[in-house]
Amino acid sequence: MDGLYHCTTYDSLMRILQSGAFYPSYCLEQASYLKWNPNFAFAMVCFADLQRSEVEDHMKTFSSDVYIKMKKSWAFKYHISPVVYYSEKSTLTNAIFKDMVMDVAKVGKKGHMYNAMNILMGLMKQYKGRYFDKKRNRLSDNEVCFYLEREWRYLPLVRSNEAYYLEESDYQDANIRNQKRQELIDNGHVLNFGWDDIIEIGAGLKKGAYIVNALSSKFGISKFEAASKVKLLFRTV
């Protein structure tokens, strides 16, 4: 698989193309390896290492209508990494999280503890589970097998006490969530890209022309050249 897919909505894709950058967002997930089973929202940008035949089913599951596929050489430059999938009762889980549970227990009393083990938490994901449904603002009713996504993540390595994760109560407060996200962006935690870093963009017929115009305007190329990387999708949500 030669590239990484970022599946999203048309409006979000247009913001990405117009800015020439991916901005991190807080993503709420279950930390099922912890006995008290909290939900944390780590700041990240997510990609999926999919076969082409898997893309549209993936988009349907997560209510995406477009995608942008980026080169892996670009991902490596920004230290974007595959996640580690875990099952709750595996040897790996028990070994890695013995000390991490103690760290997380201290966070509520002393604020954010930024160390290697806490960074690793942002790269851990359940083998299967419920995902956060942004349309309904809650965890999904159904479980999905996350392992099939082969997810890669960019996690901002904070330098100025920015919030690299939020507890669920802060995540649910839009003012706090947006403020903390803006602090990350203001401190340079963004993924910039150029025309050559894009492999292709997938969109429905009605959106394709707008995407071509955005690419032409942003990167100073002809509409013919811009259209060469736009793939029309005929089965979108």
Side-chain angles (χ1 to χ4, degrees):
M1 291 171 280
D2 57 343
L4 298 176
Y5 291 87
H6 180 77
C7 300
T8 186
T9 63
Y10 168 75
D11 289 341
S12 293
L13 175 65
M14 291 299 282
R15 288 192 291 270
I16 290 168
L17 297 180
Q18 290 163 359
S19 64
F22 295 87
Y23 295 156
S25 296
Y26 292 100
C27 297
L28 190 68
E29 294 181 324
Q30 291 182 301
S32 61
Y33 49 82
L34 298 176
K35 292 182 180 179
W36 54 93
N37 197 25
N39 299 325
F40 292 107
F42 280 86
M44 64 182 74
V45 183
C46 301
F47 301 87
D49 195 2
L50 300 169
Q51 298 279 1
R52 180 63 189 86
S53 59
E54 300 171 321
V55 173
E56 288 173 47
D57 282 341
H58 176 83
M59 292 172 67
K60 182 178 180 181
T61 298
F62 296 102
S63 301
S64 303
D65 54 7
V66 296
Y67 69 76
I68 179 169
K69 185 180 181 184
M70 306 298 293
K71 291 181 179 178
K72 283 186 177 175
S73 57
W74 168 84
F76 292 141
K77 180 175 70 173
Y78 281 106
H79 312 294
I80 299 170
S81 304
V83 305
V84 178
Y85 291 94
Y86 68 87
S87 58
E88 296 176 32
K89 297 181 180 180
S90 68
T91 301
L92 173 65
T93 301
N94 291 331
I96 291 178
F97 294 109
K98 180 179 179 181
D99 292 331
M100 187 176 293
V101 168
M102 298 302 296
D103 282 348
V104 174
K106 297 173 184 177
V107 168
K109 299 178 181 178
K110 297 184 178 181
H112 285 58
M113 296 182 63
Y114 190 57
N115 57 38
M117 293 300 284
N118 288 343
I119 294 171
L120 182 59
M121 286 179 66
L123 288 172
M124 302 298 294
K125 190 164 187 176
Q126 296 167 292
Y127 174 79
K128 65 177 180 179
R130 296 187 296 154
Y131 62 91
F132 189 76
D133 187 334
K134 293 182 179 179
K135 285 188 174 181
R136 295 189 293 172
N137 197 39
R138 63 181 179 87
L139 290 171
S140 64
D141 296 325
N142 61 306
E143 285 192 340
V144 298
C145 184
F146 295 124
Y147 179 77
L148 298 178
E149 300 171 8
R150 297 180 290 278
E151 185 178 335
W152 292 45
R153 288 180 177 176
Y154 163 74
L155 299 177
L157 298 178
V158 300
R159 299 179 296 272
S160 304
N161 295 318
E162 306 98 310
Y164 63 98
Y165 80 91
L166 299 176
E167 295 183 6
E168 184 172 11
S169 58
D170 286 341
Y171 174 84
Q172 296 291 4
D173 187 319
N175 290 329
I176 294 176
R177 185 175 69 245
N178 293 334
Q179 175 192 345
K180 296 301 183 182
R181 180 173 184 262
Q182 191 60 48
E183 287 177 2
L184 290 170
I185 295 169
D186 291 343
N187 280 282
H189 299 293
V190 301
L191 302 176
N192 295 302
F193 63 89
W195 170 247
D196 291 336
D197 298 316
I198 303 171
I199 295 177
E200 69 179 33
I201 295 170
L205 181 62
K206 293 182 179 179
K207 305 296 186 184
Y210 297 109
I211 291 171
V212 167
N213 289 338
L215 289 168
S216 176
S217 176
K218 176 62 183 179
F219 298 110
I221 56 177
S222 69
K223 292 184 179 180
F224 179 80
E225 185 177 1
S228 68
K229 291 188 180 182
V230 177
K231 180 178 179 62
L232 297 180
L233 303 176
F234 297 98
R235 182 185 149 209
T236 57
V237 295

